[in-house]
Amino acid sequence: MIIRAKNKELFQHSGLTNIQQENQAQNEAESESGQPILKSYPRRIVCELTNACNLSCIMCGRNAAEFHPTRFKLEWLQKLSPLFSHSEEITLMGWGEPTIHPDFTEILKYVDQFPLKKYFCTNGMKLDELTDAIFTYHVDIIAVSLDGSTSEMNDRIRKGGSFQKITESLRSIISIRNTRGLTAPYINFVFTAMKDNYHQIPEMIDLAADIGLDEVKVVYFTSFRSDLDSQTLFNMQDDVRAVFEQAAEKADSYDIKLKLPYIQGEDPAESEPHRPCYVGWRDLFIGSDGYIRPCMSTPLKFLHIDEMSTFDDLWNHPLYQSFRTTVNDSEAMPASCKTCYQSSVANWNLPRSFIQHGLTFGPEWEDE
């Protein structure tokens, strides 16, 4: 199954409660009509547990910014718990590696008492330590970043990572899942495509099939440093298309879901700054410094979670309302949205989606 770019639908699963179904329908209607004031709750809660990382990937934007280490507090999660009967999913991801948070297992345990789909993104280096917790606390989805189909490629790009350790951990998790007759966790590879490695995308499909993974997702590399500009796939449409077609054939043969970005020049956003953005309606993003932001890829911040008296004060704060009113207006949208590089809504027809210099492309975290 081939999906062209990410869409606003969350991972589909059965078992939504009546409250979740009603909230989903209301949120979709309010998003579609662009309502600035919402009666619905966010469908997804995204918690950046930390902006620190245990790897030093050559292409990571962390190398082009100053990061003040921050850590998500468990009390913030407890403060959000009234939402957890309405929202469908909690996603643990951000600019850092969530599994290095010292309370990561406790966080999984805490949210397991609610009817939330549990999803985390990881570089995979601690999966071996977390295998028991993944099944004990019923993790639903795991996205694993791997940027090569071989140890040589992946470990050169993802410095400090171990292809062998990650793939062994995944084989163990899949073996347990299959032995127990479970369908979760659903696991996918997330592959950052750049000039050095994009030719290995078809082999990533082979690897996913061999391990027993469910999906491969490809995202384009965006360069924030001039010395890496040559690694982008800008103006390589014919070469990219050929590799994507090979990958699609393999995915079909294995019945693996394949998510691909639009080919440059074919993005339906045409010349707009980005495709229609939905995060201000569907998602609530909390940074590791406690600030509420539209998403992880903007310096914009609304207010600190400790300033929240009631959830409505936060969710319909004037700054949130302003964002919802302007984010899809090409003239009025925030400056950082005009240069969006998010895989979900970026316009891949534009050079600035591939190469960005001199811009504030991520949050400026507050020191603890």
Side-chain angles (χ1 to χ4, degrees), residues 220 233-238 240-241 244 261-267 347-351 354:
Y220 288 131
L233 297 179
F234 180 63
N235 281 345
M236 291 184 59
Q237 298 95 312
D238 291 343
V240 169
R241 181 179 287 104
F244 280 8
Y262 286 103
I263 301 289
Q264 182 187 339
E266 299 177 5
D267 197 305
N347 180 356
W348 295 109
N349 297 331
L350 304 179
F354 293 90

Side-chain angles (χ1 to χ4, degrees), residues 46-323:
V46 185
C47 299
E48 177 186 64
L49 298 190
T50 179
N51 61 1
C53 192
N54 52 349
L55 299 188
S56 182
C57 303
I58 62 172
M59 73 298 185
C60 183
R62 294 172 52 83
N63 299 320
E66 183 177 356
F67 277 63
H68 302 288
T70 54
R71 184 186 298 168
F72 194 95
K73 296 179 181 179
L74 186 58
E75 64 195 60
W76 296 338
L77 197 63
Q78 295 166 342
K79 194 168 186 177
L80 294 169
S81 61
L83 313 182
F84 293 169
S85 61
H86 299 266
S87 301
E88 302 160 47
E89 176 181 303
I90 185 164
T91 301
L92 308 176
M93 65 170 287
W95 274 95
E97 170 55 40
T99 64
I100 68 172
H101 192 290
D103 298 322
F104 184 77
T105 300
E106 286 302 308
I107 289 169
L108 292 181
K109 181 180 180 180
Y110 181 77
V111 297
D112 191 44
Q113 62 187 306
F114 302 98
L116 287 166
K117 184 165 65 264
K118 293 169 286 298
Y119 182 177
F120 71 87
C121 305
T122 178
N123 58 38
M125 289 300 292
K126 291 176 69 69
L127 285 174
D128 57 338
E129 302 173 30
L130 293 168
T131 298
D132 288 344
I134 286 167
F135 289 99
T136 300
Y137 303 122
H138 311 101
V139 172
D140 297 278
I141 312 164
I142 305 173
V144 181
S145 296
L146 206 72
D147 292 332
S149 61
T150 63
S151 293
E152 179 183 11
M153 181 65 74
N154 180 76
D155 297 356
R156 179 173 64 81
I157 294 173
R158 304 186 66 78
K159 291 184 177 181
S162 170
F163 177 93
Q164 182 175 350
K165 180 179 182 180
I166 295 164
T167 53
E168 286 177 356
S169 297
L170 290 171
R171 290 183 193 279
S172 175
I173 292 170
I174 293 298
S175 176
I176 295 170
R177 185 184 77 176
N178 293 345
T179 298
R180 296 182 183 179
L182 303 173
T183 57
Y186 178 100
I187 306 176
N188 71 336
F189 280 139
V190 180
F191 182 93
T192 302
M194 59 191 81
K195 192 172 291 185
D196 277 357
N197 69 356
Y198 81 104
H199 63 280
Q200 289 194 348
I201 296 173
E203 286 68 45
M204 289 296 294
I205 309 294
D206 291 329
L207 179 63
D210 183 57
I211 295 173
L213 302 194
D214 304 281
E215 174 188 308
V216 173
K217 175 183 174 182
V218 177
V219 298
Y220 288 131
F221 164 59
T222 300
S223 174
F224 303 109
R225 294 164 35 204
S226 58
D227 60 316
L228 290 175
D229 290 354
S230 62
Q231 282 295 324
T232 73
L233 297 179
F234 180 63
N235 281 345
M236 291 184 59
Q237 298 95 312
D238 291 343
D239 295 323
V240 169
R241 181 179 287 104
V243 170
F244 280 8
E245 288 175 353
Q246 293 174 31
E249 289 178 7
K250 289 202 172 191
D252 281 343
S253 68
Y254 291 125
D255 194 26
I256 285 178
K257 184 181 292 186
L258 177 61
K259 292 182 178 178
L260 297 171
Y262 286 103
I263 301 289
Q264 182 187 339
E266 299 177 5
D267 197 305
E270 297 181 339
S271 61
E272 291 294 313
H274 57 70
R275 274 177 273 122
C277 181
Y278 45 81
V279 297
W281 291 264
R282 193 195 69 178
D283 297 349
L284 174 68
F285 179 85
I286 307 100
S288 54
D289 57 358
Y291 275 94
I292 310 298
R293 296 181 170 88
C295 70
M296 64 180 282
S297 302
T298 175
L300 291 176
K301 58 186 179 184
F302 298 139
L303 72 163
H304 196 279
I305 192 168
D306 287 340
E307 300 176 65
M308 182 182 86
S309 54
T310 68
F311 180 68
D312 188 66
D313 290 338
L314 161 66
W315 193 225
N316 288 312
H317 189 279
L319 291 174
Y320 240 131
Q321 293 183 46
S322 176
F323 178 79

